[in-house]
Amino acid sequence: MNGGRASLPVRIASIAVLVLLAGCRVAPPAAPAHVFAHGAVAADHPAASEAGAEVLRLGGNAVDAAVATSFCLSVVRPYSCGIGGGGFMVIHVPAAADGRPSRQVAINYRETAPGAVGPDAFVGRAADASRIGAHAVGVPGSVAGLLYALEHFGTLDRETVLAPAIRVAEEGFVIDAHYVAAVKAVGTKIDEDPRRLDDAGYVWRELCHAGDVRPGDRLTNPRQARALRLIARDGAFAFYRGPIADAIVDVMKRRGGPITAADLAGYRVDVTAPLRGRWSDYEVVAMPPPSSGGITMLQILGILDRLDVDAATTDHNDTEYVHLLAEAMKHAFADRSRWLADPAFVDVPTGDLLAAEYLDARAAAISRTSTGAPMDYGTGTDHLEDGGTSHFSVVDRTGMAVACTETINLRFGSLLGVPGFGFALNNEMDDFTTIPGAANAFGLRQSDRNLPEPGKRPLSSMSPTIVLRDDVPVIVAGASGGPRIITGTLQTILNCLWYDMPPHVAVEVPRFHHQWMPDRVYFDERWADTGVIDDVAGIGHETARRVSVGEVQLILVDDAGVHAASDTRKGGVPAGY
Ligand code: DON
């Protein structure tokens, strides 16, 4: 496998060629390169990247910057993530001058099912009950997770790291086309069934301004500023036991939802060892279950390795590359469907799924000239879409790195807001297997292992990932976009490490996606080479186009500096110093 990277001049010279080769149906915007000397934040909104960079410039470390970025995202991308949701953070702490070795940690602050919710919670309920309204909401974890990270790995106080978010909420921020599209999507849901306003009224008025928004408008959110000020002053108490908890319980009572004061007071962050895999010269440090991202990406890489697919044997996005990578995705997503869920509740066979003999067998089952039926993939199983997530990557001047992905699931989550505090509650319950055999909003079919249980965390595709070489971060990456998070993050890492693309090119070139079921290769609408699509169809794959192939935020570190790229698909811009 070719793990080497070209020198910087060679890589820059190759940009023009690559952009031409990757010719696009909708030309990718020419994203400029962003290279910083000391540290950087790549988030999916410029104000959020800037909030983190401000904290880095103050002398804060990568975790301080990550916490500042996340709270700011809660304000500027209130439909993607925020204090009403949850997330995963992977941290690399570099070796210390006093001889302490480097270490990595995974912080799991995914939402949990409320105590009153069991496996049958959605049986007999309205078809949209796991997506809209009070039953859709999991107990939020973001505030607990971020404050845990700050207390154990940060250096600054709460007031300092929350200051940029509070300022942005009070003084205002400029909304972009992505925000307006999210508002429009809520309007469409309300038009489809105006009774939804009973749940969505607060979010529609407070965060969507009743649809009266245009790109370039300046919005404030003084009510969320109030929530953030309380969190800065009183810490997690404000959210889980104090006035914000009271407001959440009040909404639940009014809308007949299951979250109680005890559920909020009982929320616990889970701190765990990340999943690790050797790949070429690299060590991939990824999120373990209940994220499916780490196992799925490591399975795909292991299968590609065995098929001898790399930059020496394929051209980027050529037919062979697309076919073999799609076949590897089919195996890994079939196993995701069959086996993965919260390891605190079910036994997840991580070792078996990543065992060399198992990956040998999966790779041996792949044909270079044909594709099989869904049941031929993974270990076989007889059981058989988006907008609310945000990923950001941070590297500081000491080499400390944070990959963090957070979500409220679909755009504006459950559409249920928390009056007085200006934020939306997640609809993460839809990531459980709500009705056995039925697909979730992302078309993902999942097993009974992922049925709701009190305190259980739903299976996730969020894939915050750090790639190390010789114990030093080379890449910090992740994405939003449901299952496209996994395939988008993986392809972008391959674009950098196999095809030597600089990050801003690696993030922008067209991508594709296969998630086993539906049994279809989805091509980025940016994909111009219809010859490849026809050839892939000729091998036997069903093919389709799709607008959303995930939005990747990536940092690459090399001798020239800290290269940060925010995906123009979501309008982000990185910041650093
Ligand atoms: O955790 C998950 O896998 C989903 N809740 C992620 C949702 C998502 O990425 C929405 N899209 N942008």
Side-chain angles (χ1 to χ4, degrees), residues 110 386-389 407 409 428 431 442 460-462 480-482 485:
R110 181 83 163 151
D386 87 81
T389 298
T407 188
N409 198 25
E428 226 66 60
D431 277 345
F442 299 100
S460 172
S461 297
M462 292 188 291
S480 50
I485 290 173

Side-chain angles (χ1 to χ4, degrees), residues 4-16 18 33-36 469 496 499-505 556-564:
R5 305 191 58 243
S7 64
L8 192 68
V10 172
R11 288 168 45 218
I12 287 175
S14 65
I15 298 171
L18 283 166
H34 294 271
V35 190
F36 303 96
R469 185 163 53 192
C496 290
Y499 295 104
D500 290 327
M501 295 181 201
H504 63 291
V505 177
L556 181 149
V557 186
D558 67 11
D559 293 344
V562 182
H563 307 247

Side-chain angles (χ1 to χ4, degrees), residues 82-95:
I83 58 178
F88 298 139
M89 187 184 285
V90 176
I91 303 174
H92 166 82
V93 183

Side-chain angles (χ1 to χ4, degrees), residues 83-336:
I83 58 178
F88 298 139
M89 187 184 285
V90 176
I91 303 174
H92 166 82
V93 183
D98 64 8
R100 269 176 300 158
S102 70
R103 63 197 168 111
Q104 293 81 31
V105 65
I107 304 182
N108 168 2
Y109 50 100
R110 181 83 163 151
E111 300 90 331
T112 54
V117 166
D120 297 338
F122 294 96
V123 177
R125 286 199 189 280
D128 62 4
S130 64
R131 298 182 194 163
I132 297 179
H135 288 277
V137 185
V139 182
S142 281
V143 172
L146 293 170
L147 296 186
Y148 178 93
L150 184 67
E151 189 182 327
H152 291 84
F153 296 93
T155 61
L156 300 176
D157 57 32
R158 286 197 300 269
E159 286 75 9
T160 307
V161 296
L162 274 143
I166 294 169
R167 191 178 65 232
V168 168
E170 287 176 345
E171 295 177 6
F173 56 98
V174 175
I175 60 165
D176 56 11
H178 202 270
Y179 195 117
V180 173
V183 168
K184 206 169 151 210
V186 177
T188 305
K189 281 185 188 163
I190 293 169
D191 286 347
E192 281 165 10
D193 183 352
R195 284 169 304 179
R196 286 178 172 158
L197 263 181
D198 294 345
D199 286 316
Y202 180 76
V203 162
W204 183 238
R205 287 189 307 277
E206 193 77 17
L207 302 176
C208 300
H209 297 260
D212 185 17
V213 287
R214 277 159 300 275
D217 285 357
R218 196 173 183 84
L219 301 187
T220 57
N221 189 342
R223 290 179 183 80
Q224 190 170 146
R226 192 176 145 233
L228 297 178
R229 280 191 185 285
L230 286 170
I231 293 166
R233 194 188 71 192
D234 300 334
F237 180 89
F239 191 91
Y240 291 97
R241 292 170 188 271
I244 307 172
D246 293 345
I248 295 172
V249 171
D250 188 52
V251 177
M252 285 288 144
K253 283 192 182 137
R254 280 193 289 107
R255 301 303 308 151
I259 294 181
T260 62
D263 287 324
L264 288 163
Y267 184 85
R268 294 288 174 270
V269 173
D270 182 39
V271 184
T272 183
L275 192 65
R276 292 162 187 285
R278 286 296 317 172
W279 169 61
S280 183
D281 296 339
Y282 305 101
E283 180 165 31
V284 179
V285 181
M287 195 69 205
S291 166
S292 58
I295 291 180
T296 308
M297 284 199 288
L298 287 172
Q299 279 197 322
I300 295 171
L301 287 172
I303 292 171
L304 292 182
D305 224 357
R306 287 162 173 79
L307 294 172
D308 281 331
V309 184
D310 62 25
T313 59
T314 54
D315 286 329
H316 179 252
N317 279 353
D318 72 4
T319 302
E320 186 178 23
Y321 178 77
V322 174
H323 169 60
L324 295 177
L325 191 46
E327 291 294 295
M329 288 173 183
K330 284 174 80 170
H331 277 302
F333 272 91
D335 280 339
R336 179 196 191 281

Side-chain angles (χ1 to χ4, degrees), residues 23-42:
C24 297
R25 186 188 193 201
V26 178
H34 294 271
V35 190
F36 303 96
H38 304 293
V41 183

Side-chain angles (χ1 to χ4, degrees), residues 462-521:
M462 292 188 291
S463 311
T465 303
I466 299 176
V467 182
L468 304 175
R469 185 163 53 192
D470 301 331
D471 208 28
V472 172
V474 180
I475 286 195
V476 186
S480 50
R484 278 81 56 176
I485 290 173
I486 301 173
T487 53
T489 303
L490 180 75
Q491 285 171 77
T492 309
I493 292 173
L494 293 176
N495 290 348
C496 290
L497 298 183
W498 273 359
Y499 295 104
D500 290 327
M501 295 181 201
H504 63 291
V505 177
V507 163
E508 295 302 325
V509 291
R511 297 195 280 269
F512 60 96
H513 172 74
H514 202 307
Q515 62 183 51
W516 177 61
M517 295 282 266
D519 186 12
R520 190 176 300 144
V521 188

